[in-house]
Amino acid sequence: MSEDRYLTFALGKGRLAKQTLEAFERIGITCEEMKEKDTRKLIFVNEKLKLKFFLAKGPDVPTYVEYGAADLGVVGKDTVLEEGRNIYEVLDLGFGVCKMCVCGPKSAEEYLKSHELIRVATKYPKIAKDYFFGKKHQTVEIIKLNGSIELAPIVGLSEVIVDIVETGSTLRENGLMVLEEVCPLSARMVVNQVSMKMEHERITRIISDLKLVIGERK
Ligand code: PRP
């Protein structure tokens, strides 16, 4: 592939963005433009390294990568699972560690044990379906919400929720608890399937450099 081709990274906005940029800095991939405060720019370029970066909403990162608008992306495993895109997941970056869990008040424990037809509120309907229908063989009604999922059992919208638990403080402060664990989560690097072939050398070098700095931190 031409030496002049830019490699483009799609990074998820929010919680993972800062740690992602720190990990890249440690392997010499920097983007000074991106650090400018209050910038309204959407795409940032490192001319010397022939790299481009853009920040997107987390759930859109796998979409950009599948269609090749970005060669690589960094996003949470929750989003990788929920979006189900045709992309390669190549590396667990070891940060953004949390768990996908079924949560609710203690009183909801029995509904899970006896496989009752309950309502499950979540931002992750695919993950919830795969878990309840595919793994547990429990028929439930899934209700899609867009945030503050912990509200649902408190106000009586659902018996339980499927949501991310990091420190557990949102649950504790709202009288809820983890009832079942669905899967562990962390930040993952994803790659476009064609880019992986066409830019194999550059991409595998980035992956192996990142593996080294991840190893050092453990
Ligand atoms: C996430 C998640 C929980 C909370 C868990 O929400 O949905 O609400 O963080 O973190 P904790 O265990 O450390 O309390 P987020 O803040 O991303 O916002 P959202 O509610 O709008 O999804």
Side-chain angles (χ1 to χ4, degrees), residues 13 17 21 27 44 80 91-92 94 114 119 161 165 193 201:
K13 275 185 198 167
L21 291 177
I27 61 164
F44 306 92
V80 174
L91 185 62
D92 180 345
S114 57
R119 292 202 279 204
I161 61 174
V165 179
Q193 296 185 344
E201 209 186 307

Side-chain angles (χ1 to χ4, degrees), residues 15 123 147-148 150 163-170:
R15 290 183 182 215
K123 211 153 86 170
S148 301
E150 291 83 356
D163 200 17
I164 290 172
V165 179
E166 192 178 354
T167 62
S169 47
T170 313

Side-chain angles (χ1 to χ4, degrees), residues 68-86:
D71 300 289
L72 303 109
V74 174
V75 73
K77 176 72 178 175
D78 49 313
T79 305
V80 174
L81 291 171
E82 187 62 27
E83 296 302 313
R85 292 280 175 183
N86 287 317

Side-chain angles (χ1 to χ4, degrees), residues 7 62 65-66 70-74 86-91 188-197 199 203-204 207:
L7 270 188
V65 174
E66 180 182 296
D71 300 289
L72 303 109
V74 174
N86 287 317
I87 50 180
Y88 293 134
E89 181 188 318
V90 294
L91 185 62
R188 305 297 160 100
M189 172 162 278
V190 293
V191 180
N192 172 271
Q193 296 185 344
V194 176
S195 306
M196 194 67 199
K197 291 189 184 74
E199 295 290 341
I203 292 174
T204 48
I207 296 168

Side-chain angles (χ1 to χ4, degrees), residues 68-197:
D71 300 289
L72 303 109
V74 174
V75 73
K77 176 72 178 175
D78 49 313
T79 305
V80 174
L81 291 171
E82 187 62 27
E83 296 302 313
R85 292 280 175 183
N86 287 317
I87 50 180
Y88 293 134
E89 181 188 318
V90 294
L91 185 62
D92 180 345
L93 290 158
F95 55 79
V97 175
C98 50
K99 280 181 190 149
M100 187 63 74
C101 298
V102 181
C103 312
K106 187 157 177 44
S107 59
E109 248 170 350
E110 58 187 279
Y111 303 135
L112 296 171
K113 268 193 213 128
S114 57
H115 283 220
E116 277 188 49
L117 175 56
I118 50 170
R119 292 202 279 204
V120 180
T122 186
K123 211 153 86 170
Y124 302 93
K126 182 177 182 295
I127 294 176
K129 258 182 225 157
D130 288 349
Y131 181 69
F132 277 101
F133 295 99
K135 195 167 174 201
K136 282 198 75 185
H137 306 293
Q138 177 174 359
T139 306
V140 296
E141 183 181 346
I142 311 253
I143 302 173
K144 164 86 168 49
L145 290 178
N146 295 296
S148 301
I149 313 299
E150 291 83 356
L151 258 179
I154 299 172
V155 299
L157 176 66
S158 69
E159 281 77 20
V160 300
I161 61 174
V162 167
D163 200 17
I164 290 172
V165 179
E166 192 178 354
T167 62
S169 47
T170 313
L171 291 178
R172 272 192 301 279
E173 287 181 29
N174 291 287
L176 304 171
M177 59 191 281
V178 171
L179 301 171
E180 290 176 355
E181 289 187 9
V182 177
C183 61
L185 304 170
S186 56
R188 305 297 160 100
M189 172 162 278
V190 293
V191 180
N192 172 271
Q193 296 185 344
V194 176
S195 306
M196 194 67 199
K197 291 189 184 74

